[in-house]
Amino acid sequence: MDEFKLFISGETAKTDKIFSALEFCLTAVFGDAYSLQKIDVIKNPLMAQADGVMATPTLVRMNPPMKRVLGDFSDMTKILESLNIHMPLNKDASAKE
Amino acid sequence: MKNEKKRILLLIGIMGIVTLTISLLVFLMLYQTAFNEQEKRLTETVQSQARMMEALMEHETLSHKGDTKIRAAAVIEQVIEGHYRYKALSKTFEFTLARQEGDQIVFLLNHGPREQIAQKPVPFDSNLAEPMRRALSGKSGTLTGLDYQGAVVLAAHEPVAGLNLGLVAKIDLSEIRAPFVKAGMVATGIGMVLIFLGAWLFIKVSEPILVQLQEQLVQMETLVTSLQGSENQVRQIIQNNADAIVVTVDGIIRFANPAAERIFGRAVSDLVGKDFGFPVLEKQSVDIHILHPAGQQVTVTMRAASTEWEKNPAHLISLHDITQRLKMAEKQKKLEQQLVQAQKMESVGRLAGGVAHDYNNALTAIMGFTELAMMDAEPKGPLHDDLNQVLKAGRRAQDITRQLLAFARKQTIAPVTLNLNPTVETMIKMLRRLIGEDIDLVWLPGENLWNVKIDPSQIDQILANLCVNARDAIKGVGKITIETHTVVFDEAYCDDHAGFIPGEFVLLAVSDNGCGMDKKILNQIFEPFFTTKAVDRGTGLGLSTVYGIVKQNNGFINVYSEPGKGTTIKIYLSRHTGKAVERPAESMEEIPRGHEETILVVEDDHSILKLTEKILSSLGYTVLTADTPEKAVTLTRENTDPIHLILTDVIMPEMNGLELSKQIKLQFPDLKCLFMSGYTANAIAHHGVLDEGVHFIQKPFSKKDLAVMIRQVLDES
């Protein structure tokens, strides 16, 4: 099962939106066979340290080889492609926020 | 170029030496070969001659018996004869035959190119004729040594057995060497010429190439210097850049500049090798948060560009710290909100203050005449009751205008230096009554409290308003805490906390554990007539009054509230270094009366003028009235009796009250002055604070208020 962690700084409408879009896209790719965890580094700074996360927002694919992506999450397709995850073609259009 | 010539000359020299050395080695080898050949030939010659002579001797012995000496002589003769038939083999080749006679070597044959001269015998033990000496000593072989003439020769020597003779074939070493020396000299000469010629050609041919190479070298050096300069500049720019610059390959940091240490909160050595992540940007930049190991965060604007690092695809990422800028923007936004709020309050205040003057005049007349009418009405009759209701309504209206004026900061005050603790202490009993028994009132006076300068009645107003609000916020039982402290805010604290002012302050805080407020309500609580209470429970002027009072005293307010948890209102008043005064107890005396003093009343509002005249007359004063300042001046000129006091409105059309009082004082220097107004004007007060020595009564006033004030002014020495 693919495991993902989304590290954010504080729960805001924007981070909620990112999480929802991510959830939508991962479901489109993996169905139910994935886990996604949202970690607020303000509340859980030690979890960020444990996973070596240096910035937020960062999405980490925990399965080896562990890979992380950070920056602009407005285009989730691009974010996932950076993790070598490709959206099914008919879902691409709806993946954009 | 000089160096180049030297180098070329050195090269020629080296080439010459090498050529000479090689030539010499070649000639030495050839000479050695020729020498060996000569040696072999000489050896073969002497050995064959010796064997032949031995064979002839043997033959003679077999054919002719007789004396051995004669036979030997015959053989020798044959040999000599045979030799002279042939020419010598070379210039210096010589074949010699000798025998030892006593201690002499006697030569029998000297066959060479030279003319044959009988060779003198050579002593056996001399250093000459070494080859022959060895041959006569029975030795066979070759050697290089001196011959019988003292010349250095290569010689082969061989004894002849049976004849006691020695045979030597020799050739001068100089003859063997001669062709090699000659060839060597020619070869060396040609070699040197060729070397010089080659060098000359080389110089001629290579000079333009060398010049070109030289130029290219200079260009290369310039280019290298320039590249080094550029590299240094780029390095300097990167090293001294305030923005963090990192290079990542597959998200792993491979390079970080010194500024990255500050932005990441880690040493560069700690950063390199860490997985920063793959940067994704939709636009030119994106704002992200960098997490420090210690827990704090820095907000940065990230930019990224594709590049190469050690031939791997990489990202060049710059991170610009915007944390301070965001804080400043946030602060600015708060300040702007505060400014808008302040402007709104100011305009409402101006409006309230503007109407208060006329409104108070009307109210003064209503209440005054009601009081006078009540004096004439039957005390227990229905008219008296009705008039009493009018008076009560007038007092409520009076409270409202007072609060409006307080909010508009047009309330006239007489600030004194006081300590808040005793001032609050005197209020606690009244406040307990105000908030009721279900609510616990806790009073926590701060120790060593600094003094403040404020009108004590304003502290009463603040506490009453805040406690009423706190009471209304508590449903059922609860707790209200009043506390005082001293606090100091420095510049740094105020930079981070919008609304705070640096300095030393006395804090008066009123907290409750009531229902609290949300942000939306918090933004409006100081607006006049804003209330969350039921229509009949609040006017919406309580906190507006507090706001106005605090602003009038150059203080500031902070409100902390959370829905469901409670509210704390903190009032900060500037520290005052003056000595505190005791607050006089409220006067409970009866209405004081006049002692036939004369009072001049000046008021442009006729109803008030008439009311005041009536009140003062009823109190036993002689009253002169004027509805304009001009009339007042005329009246004083015409009046010869002394005028003890002038009671005047402050704001009048022709002349203000202060100017009028000054003019009349010229005629009556002992004249006392009492000013009355709906609100104060700059004539007697600055920003609502009365000038020293000025007496003032706020409209609307009651008969008692006026009587007490007039008596107080008249009795003042």
Side-chain angles (χ1 to χ4, degrees):
Chain A
M1 184 184 262
D2 282 81
E3 189 187 351
F4 297 90
K5 286 182 183 175
L6 175 66
F7 291 86
I8 51 161
S9 291
E11 300 246 9
T12 62
K14 195 178 168 187
T15 55
D16 285 349
K17 205 173 173 184
I18 290 172
F19 186 76
S20 304
L22 188 56
E23 214 169 27
F24 175 83
C25 291
L26 290 175
T27 306
V29 177
F30 298 102
D32 292 335
Y34 78 95
S35 79
L36 172 62
Q37 200 183 348
K38 180 164 64 175
I39 296 158
D40 182 356
V41 298
I42 293 170
K43 290 179 186 164
N44 301 298
L46 292 177
M47 286 184 79
Q49 275 184 23
D51 285 321
V53 171
M54 300 170 80
T56 60
T58 290
L59 176 65
V60 185
R61 187 178 195 173
M62 301 301 291
N63 305 63
M66 186 195 265
K67 198 167 181 188
R68 60 194 77 196
V69 59
L70 79 163
D72 194 338
F73 278 67
S74 56
D75 186 349
M76 205 52 78
T77 311
K78 209 167 169 182
I79 290 285
L80 294 180
E81 275 174 0
S82 302
L83 296 175
N84 296 326
I85 298 167
H86 302 284
M87 291 288 293
L89 285 175
N90 56 343
K91 302 282 182 182
D92 273 7
S94 53
K96 292 206 174 194
E97 282 186 311
Chain B
M1 286 303 278
K2 229 176 183 179
N3 281 339
E4 287 304 314
K5 277 184 181 172
K6 271 187 182 174
R7 270 184 218 159
I8 289 165
L9 285 173
L10 184 66
L11 185 66
I12 292 168
I14 291 167
M15 282 168 70
I17 290 166
V18 169
T19 309
L20 281 173
T21 308
I22 292 168
S23 302
L24 195 63
L25 284 171
V26 168
F27 284 115
L28 275 175
M29 284 167 74
L30 289 172
Y31 170 72
Q32 190 62 45
T33 308
F35 184 90
N36 291 339
E37 284 294 319
Q38 285 293 346
E39 194 175 33
K40 194 179 170 189
R41 192 180 65 158
L42 292 173
T43 304
E44 282 173 357
T45 302
V46 291
Q47 283 181 350
S48 63
Q49 287 291 318
R51 298 298 88 78
M52 185 190 77
M53 285 176 75
E54 282 168 4
L56 281 175
M57 187 62 194
E58 202 172 322
H59 178 73
E60 280 294 325
T61 307
L62 290 173
S63 331
H64 308 282
K65 297 204 186 228
D67 191 6
T68 306
K69 280 184 180 178
I70 295 167
R71 284 198 305 269
V75 170
I76 292 164
E77 196 175 338
Q78 280 180 44
V79 170
I80 293 168
E81 221 172 281
H83 267 277
Y84 285 131
R85 285 180 194 164
Y86 303 98
K87 276 186 176 179
L89 290 172
S90 72
K91 279 182 185 173
T92 61
F93 180 84
E94 193 175 6
F95 183 83
T96 56
L97 182 65
R99 78 153 72 79
Q100 187 178 357
E101 290 179 10
D103 56 354
Q104 299 279 324
I105 298 171
V106 178
F107 289 90
L108 303 174
L109 171 65
N110 298 91
H111 182 210
R114 301 178 191 94
E115 198 180 335
Q116 293 307 305
I117 301 164
Q119 183 60 45
K120 287 178 183 172
V122 173
F124 195 83
D125 56 354
S126 81
N127 60 347
L128 300 175
E130 175 65 22
M132 187 53 78
R133 194 166 25 255
R134 290 198 181 191
L136 291 175
S137 301
K139 290 175 186 171
S140 170
T142 58
L143 64 83
T144 305
L146 297 176
D147 68 358
Y148 63 93
Q149 292 171 316
V152 181
V153 295
L154 171 64
H157 51 88
E158 188 73 22
V160 182
L163 290 172
N164 293 324
L165 294 174
L167 274 179
V168 171
K170 67 177 177 75
I171 187 166
D172 283 5
L173 274 180
S174 59
E175 187 186 338
I176 302 171
R177 284 176 191 152
F180 295 101
V181 171
K182 191 178 173 185
M185 284 174 74
V186 171
T188 305
I190 292 169
M192 291 309 286
V193 169
L194 285 174
I195 285 166
F196 279 102
L197 193 66
W200 180 77
L201 282 172
F202 175 76
I203 290 166
K204 282 289 160 192
V205 172
S206 65
E207 197 164 14
I209 298 168
L210 281 173
V211 168
Q212 202 177 343
L213 282 172
Q214 191 88 24
E215 282 171 2
Q216 283 179 355
L217 190 68
V218 170
Q219 282 175 0
M220 287 287 284
E221 280 174 352
T222 312
L223 192 64
V224 167
T225 310
S226 160
L227 280 172
Q228 280 173 342
S230 301
E231 192 191 333
N232 279 340
Q233 281 176 347
V234 171
R235 194 183 296 276
Q236 288 286 317
I237 289 167
I238 289 172
Q239 295 293 320
N240 298 324
N241 205 314
D243 292 350
I245 294 172
V246 294
V247 177
T248 61
V249 175
D250 287 333
I252 310 291
I253 297 175
R254 305 290 287 272
F255 169 84
N257 71 342
E261 291 195 347
R262 184 178 54 78
I263 285 178
F264 282 90
R266 300 161 197 256
V268 167
S269 56
D270 188 30
L271 278 172
V272 174
K274 289 273 187 309
D275 192 350
F276 180 64
F278 190 88
V280 171
L281 279 86
E282 282 300 305
K283 295 172 189 165
Q284 279 190 326
S285 65
V286 64
D287 293 348
I288 60 166
H289 305 283
I290 299 293
L291 314 175
H292 280 203
Q296 64 266 50
Q297 289 193 18
V298 176
T299 309
V300 297
T301 299
M302 176 171 78
R303 289 183 172 81
S306 296
T307 184
E308 260 195 11
W309 184 265
E310 292 169 352
K311 295 184 181 173
N312 294 311
H315 280 101
L316 177 67
I317 300 168
S318 80
L319 303 163
H320 178 64
D321 190 349
I322 56 167
T323 314
Q324 281 304 317
R325 201 182 76 198
L326 289 178
K327 270 189 188 172
M328 290 299 287
E330 185 69 19
K331 194 177 169 187
Q332 181 74 20
K333 197 177 164 188
K334 276 187 184 170
L335 285 173
E336 279 169 11
Q337 284 173 347
Q338 283 178 343
L339 180 66
V340 168
Q341 186 74 359
Q343 283 172 336
K344 192 164 72 180
M345 304 288 252
E346 190 67 32
S347 54
V348 176
R350 208 172 292 136
L351 178 70
V355 299
H357 178 250
D358 295 331
Y359 188 70
N360 272 345
N361 276 350
L363 211 52
T364 307
I366 292 166
M367 289 172 69
F369 282 113
T370 307
E371 276 188 298
L372 291 174
M374 281 172 77
M375 287 165 70
D376 295 338
E378 187 65 35
K380 288 184 179 173
L383 180 62
H384 193 276
D385 285 348
D386 292 347
L387 287 171
N388 201 27
Q389 290 304 319
V390 173
L391 196 60
K392 278 184 182 171
R395 282 188 186 133
R396 282 202 298 276
Q398 186 184 11
D399 282 342
I400 291 171
T401 49
R402 190 174 294 138
Q403 285 179 311
L404 270 177
L405 283 170
F407 165 69
R409 285 171 261 164
K410 294 202 183 289
Q411 180 179 240
T412 309
I413 53 167
V416 292
T417 304
L418 55 82
N419 189 301
L420 278 188
N421 284 349
T423 310
V424 176
E425 193 78 48
T426 57
M427 281 285 288
I428 292 296
K429 199 175 170 186
M430 189 277 282
L431 292 172
R432 281 194 209 282
R433 278 203 305 273
L434 194 66
I435 61 174
E437 290 174 354
D438 290 340
I439 297 167
D440 185 19
L441 179 65
V442 181
W443 163 228
L444 302 169
E447 285 181 9
N448 302 319
L449 205 66
W450 294 324
N451 290 335
V452 293
K453 192 171 186 183
I454 191 167
D455 189 324
S457 66
Q458 290 186 309
I459 296 294
D460 299 348
Q461 280 180 291
I462 290 171
L463 284 173
N465 279 311
L466 294 183
C467 286
V468 165
N469 281 349
R471 177 199 67 190
D472 294 344
I474 295 169
K475 309 276 185 289
V477 291
K479 187 169 89 173
I480 296 173
T481 307
I482 301 172
E483 54 192 312
T484 53
H485 289 297
T486 55
V487 283
V488 179
F489 299 123
D490 58 18
E491 295 276 355
Y493 182 87
C494 297
D495 282 347
D496 289 341
H497 296 78
F500 283 76
I501 304 161
E504 295 177 324
F505 293 92
V506 175
L507 165 69
L508 172 63
V510 177
S511 314
D512 67 67
N513 57 354
C515 59
M517 292 172 280
D518 60 27
K519 277 191 177 173
K520 199 179 167 190
I521 294 173
L522 272 177
N523 286 334
Q524 288 182 283
I525 54 170
F526 294 119
E527 289 177 19
F529 305 112
F530 174 82
T531 181
T532 56
K533 297 175 190 173
V535 177
D536 57 340
R537 290 205 68 182
T539 57
L541 284 169
L543 282 175
S544 313
T545 306
V546 174
Y547 178 86
I549 290 170
V550 175
K551 288 286 167 192
Q552 191 173 23
N553 287 284
N554 299 317
F556 61 95
I557 309 177
N558 268 94
V559 183
Y560 304 89
S561 189
E562 272 192 57
K565 291 190 176 172
T567 303
T568 297
I569 295 186
K570 292 183 172 180
I571 290 163
Y572 298 92
L573 298 169
S574 282
R575 178 187 185 179
H576 189 76
T577 47
K579 203 177 171 187
V581 296
E582 290 288 323
R583 192 179 179 184
E586 286 228 355
S587 169
M588 297 300 286
E589 63 186 318
E590 289 294 305
I591 298 176
R593 296 189 61 81
H595 306 308
E596 294 180 354
E597 290 98 337
T598 304
I599 296 173
L600 170 61
V601 182
V602 189
E603 168 64 64
D604 59 346
D605 189 308
H606 284 271
S607 59
I608 295 176
L609 185 63
K610 200 174 169 189
L611 169 71
T612 314
E613 185 187 7
K614 265 188 141 179
I615 291 171
L616 292 176
S617 300
S618 70
L619 288 169
Y621 294 103
T622 304
V623 184
L624 303 171
T625 60
D627 60 358
T628 65
E630 199 182 335
K631 282 183 187 170
V633 173
T634 313
L635 196 64
T636 50
R637 281 185 191 146
E638 288 168 356
N639 190 60
T640 49
D641 295 330
I643 298 174
H644 299 94
L645 184 140
I646 177 171
L647 173 62
T648 175
D649 193 9
V650 180
I651 299 155
M652 290 177 293
E654 297 156 12
M655 188 190 291
N656 71 40
L658 186 67
E659 286 167 349
L660 174 66
S661 67
K662 281 179 182 168
Q663 206 163 330
I664 297 172
K665 264 194 170 182
L666 295 173
Q667 191 179 346
F668 300 104
D670 294 334
L671 183 77
K672 302 276 175 63
C673 299
L674 177 59
F675 298 97
M676 57 182 167
S677 182
Y679 63 88
T680 55
N682 286 344
I684 57 163
H686 294 286
H687 305 295
V689 181
L690 283 176
D691 291 346
E692 209 163 321
V694 170
H695 300 288
F696 176 79
I697 185 163
Q698 174 88 49
K699 291 178 194 172
F701 44 75
S702 68
K703 182 181 174 182
K704 185 184 172 187
D705 293 339
L706 184 63
V708 169
M709 201 68 199
I710 294 263
R711 197 65 258 160
Q712 193 184 319
V713 177
L714 281 172
D715 291 346
E716 200 177 61
S717 56

